[in-house]
Amino acid sequence: GFDIPTLFYCLPGNSTFIAKKELFSIPILGYWMNEINCISLDRSSPRKGLASIKKAVEIIKSGINPIIFPEGTRTKDPDGKMLPFKKGSLKIAIKSGAKVVPIAINGTRLVFQSTYKEDRVPVAVTIGETIDYSTLSQEEQEDFSLFLQKKVEKMYESSQKKDQRSDNI
């Protein structure tokens, strides 16, 4: 829910998002996502999913950076433990030859917790080093989703431990 607006605020222009089609039906968020040309990922069939991947590859070639959430859905874990990254979510980077910039977002899940008493929620966004898939070892390429997930998990854990300056949303 709030990951997309958070990243839109934090990242430089020339980016768009790939989001599951269900998010487009949420009032206000869906309208806003259409306005910024987010790509709808329809996971109801492999053919529809492949069409979204092809569209994303075209967008990359035009100079726009698509942002994808490789977990596919928000974790229900109370501590924010990440779900496994879906292998298919990284096909866009592999097929296009684009480099991947891992990003860890910490705190947006608190927005939905009805017991949270504060007016504002502290959010930390950590941007990692660029990863060029073509320079990875064969082992790292074979399980790229796990390789990337480990990187993001370290970034996420680091953002929890550090007393960083965070913007509040």
Side-chain angles (χ1 to χ4, degrees):
F2 282 95
D3 291 348
I4 290 174
T6 299
L7 289 179
F8 188 76
Y9 170 78
C10 293
L11 298 177
N14 231 19
S15 296
T16 191
F17 296 87
I18 300 171
K20 59 187 175 184
K21 75 173 187 173
E22 294 83 3
L23 291 178
F24 287 80
S25 64
I26 297 173
I28 300 172
L29 179 64
Y31 172 80
W32 179 75
M33 289 170 59
N34 278 315
E35 288 297 306
I36 64 166
N37 298 314
C38 289
I39 300 166
S40 174
L41 179 58
D42 187 342
R43 300 181 297 180
S44 65
S45 77
R47 192 180 87 232
K48 290 179 180 180
L50 184 58
S52 297
I53 290 171
K54 287 180 179 179
K55 183 176 180 182
V57 169
E58 289 173 21
I59 285 175
I60 290 170
K61 290 179 180 177
S62 75
I64 297 172
N65 304 306
I67 298 165
I68 191 161
F69 300 93
E71 293 173 278
T73 192
R74 179 171 296 281
T75 183
K76 304 287 189 235
D77 185 272
D79 296 323
K81 185 178 185 301
M82 279 189 250
L83 297 171
F85 284 15
K86 297 182 183 297
K87 291 182 180 193
S89 67
L90 300 170
K91 286 182 182 177
I92 295 164
I94 295 167
K95 289 184 180 288
S96 68
K99 294 177 181 163
V100 174
V101 179
I103 299 172
I105 307 168
N106 189 355
T108 55
R109 66 188 172 80
L110 298 174
V111 173
F112 292 109
Q113 291 183 356
S114 60
T115 59
Y116 199 81
K117 306 281 188 243
E118 300 293 318
D119 290 333
R120 295 177 181 251
V121 176
V123 174
V125 176
T126 308
I127 300 172
E129 293 183 28
T130 302
I131 299 169
D132 184 342
Y133 176 82
S134 68
T135 64
L136 298 177
S137 70
Q138 183 177 353
E139 183 181 329
E140 292 166 336
Q141 286 183 355
E142 285 174 5
D143 206 347
F144 187 43
S145 59
L146 182 61
F147 171 81
L148 184 61
Q149 181 167 352
K150 286 180 181 179
K151 295 255 184 216
V152 174
E153 283 174 344
K154 284 181 186 176
M155 292 164 46
Y156 182 79
E157 289 167 9
S158 176
S159 73
Q160 287 181 315
K161 292 176 186 172
K162 289 182 183 175
D163 184 23
Q164 299 178 356
R165 179 185 172 274
S166 299
D167 286 333
N168 292 316
I169 62 169

